[in-house]
Amino acid sequence: MGDAKPATIYDVAARAGVSKSLVSLVLQRSPRVSEQRRAAVLTAIQELDYRPSTAAVSLAGTRSRTIGVVLDDFRNQWFVDLLTGLREALQDQGHRLVVADRFLNTGLDASPVEGFLSMRVEGIVIAGEPDTDLAIPASTPLVIAGGRLSIPRADTVANDDRAGGRMAAQHLLGLGHTRLGFVGAQSAAAVERLAGFRDGVGESAAVAVSSLAGELTEDAGARATRALLDEHPDVTAVFAGNDVMALGAMSALAERGLRVPEDVSVIGYDDTPIAATRYVGLTSIDDRSVEIGRGSGERLLARIADPDIAATETLVEPRLVARRTTARR
């Protein structure tokens, strides 16, 4: 027996006893449809298991109710909570998210923004540091979520990285550490976190820095920590630019026969799901990604409703989550 053909919008119209255009209006959530006809169309959609094409609905109507989200890198787990917050803010308005990694199709010389524009998205969220070559039209509502580099006409909702760096310093100083190390990469967020870390330490302790011009990855964290230990073998605590770099730091410490936290304490940043696992138990600065995502969604909805409103910057206060990778010296 062959597979049944999927239902079409014409099948739905015939089952409900209405026109194809009226079905389109229902799919667009138009208020111009009577409740009786709307109910008939929704019943037909359910009975026929009709799955409307998002692109087709967009082309047929004036609104796509689709939001494009550009991620720095799918491997960075802080995006999980960010997307949760975005969805919470947008779903009540009937918006759906389309997500793309800006590096995923680099070999194809394809920009995710071009794909979003062809889908007629109602707005775009850049999650992370914005890239100057994304070429987003001025008419497209735009929010930067989690990044600190500003773009004219775009709202920014981000974690207060400098405050988070100060929290990390105060936590380690409170545990009695005076020989501290920082491992990170050349990103705007990492620079802010290091600045806050230095502010928090002040004259109370010495800070050694090993920063790579590369990705905030586990491998980069391991390489930076090896370099740090080569130059400063006496460090008793390491603050990493993010959680995955902290994992790399822990592996490099283990290579040198150093135990965490007995010999060296380690603290990360972002409080990603991996930090909370029983096996890792990583002390981390929670950047409150859910709140960043929710705030970004709210700002985008406001900008869609009024494209001429003034751009704003909102900083979300981080918080320390102490686990077993930090201990008293």
Side-chain angles (χ1 to χ4, degrees), residues 161-179:
D161 298 291
R162 193 173 289 250
R166 288 194 294 270
M167 287 180 184
Q170 292 161 3
H171 176 66
L172 295 175
L173 291 175
L175 293 173
H177 294 275
T178 57
R179 296 182 299 279

Side-chain angles (χ1 to χ4, degrees), residues 71-77 79-80 83 99-102 104:
L71 303 183
D72 269 342
D73 190 337
F74 275 124
R75 295 171 296 179
N76 196 328
Q77 292 193 2
F79 295 130
V80 176
L83 292 173
V99 182
D101 180 338
R102 65 176 173 175
L104 192 61

Side-chain angles (χ1 to χ4, degrees), residues 71-107:
L71 303 183
D72 269 342
D73 190 337
F74 275 124
R75 295 171 296 179
N76 196 328
Q77 292 193 2
W78 81 276
F79 295 130
V80 176
D81 288 340
L82 178 87
L83 292 173
T84 297
L86 266 175
R87 187 177 64 249
E88 289 175 359
L90 297 171
Q91 64 186 2
D92 288 345
Q93 301 294 324
H95 289 83
R96 57 180 64 83
L97 300 179
V98 180
V99 182
D101 180 338
R102 65 176 173 175
F103 297 118
L104 192 61
N105 293 321
T106 302

Side-chain angles (χ1 to χ4, degrees), residues 184-220:
Q186 297 301 320
S187 71
V191 169
E192 285 290 303
R193 292 168 188 180
L194 174 57
F197 192 59
R198 289 190 187 278
D199 290 345
V201 170
E203 302 297 326
S204 303
V207 177
V209 177
S210 179
S211 189
L212 301 177
E215 298 175 337
L216 289 159
T217 63
E218 183 176 354
D219 180 63

